[in-house]
Amino acid sequence: MSILKSFIVFEGLDGAGTTTQIRNLARYYEFNRREYAVTNEPTDNPIGRLVRQVLQKKIITTPEALALLYAADRSDHLYNPSYGITRLLEEGKIVMSDRYFYSSIAYQSVECSRELVKAINRFPSPEFLIFIDTPVEDCMRRIEKRGEEKELFDRAEFLTAVRKNYLAELENLPEGVNLLVVDGRASIEETEAEIRKYLSGFSL
Ligand code: TYD
């Protein structure tokens, strides 16, 4: 199993706060004049835009087709010759991604077979995986506060199953993946400090 050095992945349920934390970590690298790139899945590239159309119910398809679309978006995200993550890493940047294949394993396995989801997500692992563990009730409260139109996955029961899948997957990480689980109920500042402290123990 190959590991992508200097690749940091943030995962969590919808509303867990990964986007805020990634932004704050990027600010830290900016301050330290370390070259970095911030990215996210689903991407804003053509396949990622298709995924969002499914989430917004503008395109109706099957859970399997959606799982394949997420995986296709991910393959492009990793290996696209002009903007792919592997290229950014080769340029010497730290790459931080808001979600990666762990999201597919956690979310898509609720409605598709886990074997299928795993088979189509044989991608290299990140060197760091930061899981922001927020109870479903807190996530639901935050999602409601945002007032966004509810996407397909913003449902308590569904998120409970997703959280269970995440925790099972985190138990089985290959060697070489450094996992940090942070309590998503802590303040933004506390979480930010914990993440920085953890990463400062490695040479990046
Ligand atoms: P995201 O963009 O993180 O959510 P938001 O629009 O709230 O910032 O992700 C959109 C949704 O897609 C989210 O519910 C998680 C889900 N998702 C999957 O189901 N599988 C995946 O592989 C990924 C990357 C995301």
Side-chain angles (χ1 to χ4, degrees):
M1 178 58 91
S2 68
I3 306 278
L4 294 173
K5 290 274 176 200
S6 306
F7 183 32
I8 309 173
V9 168
F10 283 70
E11 291 279 357
L13 298 179
D14 300 83
T18 53
T19 311
T20 305
Q21 289 303 332
I22 224 169
R23 198 186 52 214
N24 293 352
L25 185 63
R27 215 178 278 154
Y28 169 73
Y29 289 127
E30 180 80 45
F31 181 76
N32 285 294
R33 296 172 187 256
R34 176 70 170 90
E35 282 219 79
Y36 68 90
V38 171
T39 185
N40 58 281
E41 293 187 1
T43 68
D44 299 319
N45 304 318
I47 306 169
R49 289 205 293 271
L50 265 180
V51 169
R52 290 203 190 273
Q53 284 183 284
V54 177
L55 298 181
Q56 293 159 4
K57 298 186 184 162
K58 287 181 184 151
I59 297 175
I60 305 297
T61 187
T62 62
E64 286 76 16
L66 178 58
L68 288 161
L69 279 180
Y70 273 119
D73 183 38
R74 184 160 298 127
S75 174
D76 177 65
H77 191 207
L78 268 175
Y79 301 120
N80 187 289
S82 59
Y83 52 73
I85 290 169
T86 50
R87 188 187 160 144
L88 297 169
L89 291 170
E90 276 160 24
E91 288 169 358
K93 296 188 171 95
I94 291 177
V95 179
M96 292 164 265
S97 182
D98 197 345
R99 302 191 177 281
Y100 190 47
F101 68 75
Y102 306 97
S103 283
S104 275
I105 291 165
Y107 285 79
Q108 274 59 66
S109 297
V110 178
E111 292 178 314
C112 304
S113 98
R114 194 180 174 80
E115 290 68 41
L116 170 78
V117 180
K118 283 230 155 191
I120 60 177
N121 278 286
R122 293 214 176 100
F123 295 106
S125 298
E127 186 179 5
F128 300 100
L129 172 58
I130 297 171
F131 182 65
I132 305 185
D133 191 15
T134 313
V136 172
E137 307 79 63
D138 297 64
C139 291
M140 291 302 292
R141 222 174 295 129
R142 291 184 202 169
I143 292 164
E144 274 166 32
K145 231 183 178 171
R146 276 188 206 159
E148 289 164 4
E149 195 177 317
K150 284 198 179 152
E151 288 186 342
L152 211 57
F153 295 149
D154 296 346
R155 299 188 308 250
E157 212 177 302
F158 184 84
L159 289 181
T160 304
V162 172
R163 181 162 182 274
K164 197 168 149 238
N165 289 341
Y166 260 131
L167 296 178
E169 188 60 22
L170 299 184
E171 292 284 316
N172 277 306
L173 292 176
E175 212 175 303
V177 180
N178 297 292
L179 170 70
L180 173 68
V181 179
V182 294
D183 185 343
R185 289 168 301 185
S187 72
I188 290 176
E189 295 75 21
E190 280 169 322
T191 304
E192 185 184 339
E194 190 179 347
I195 294 170
R196 278 189 197 184
K197 186 168 171 238
Y198 177 75
L199 290 172
S200 68
F202 298 86
S203 67
L204 260 166

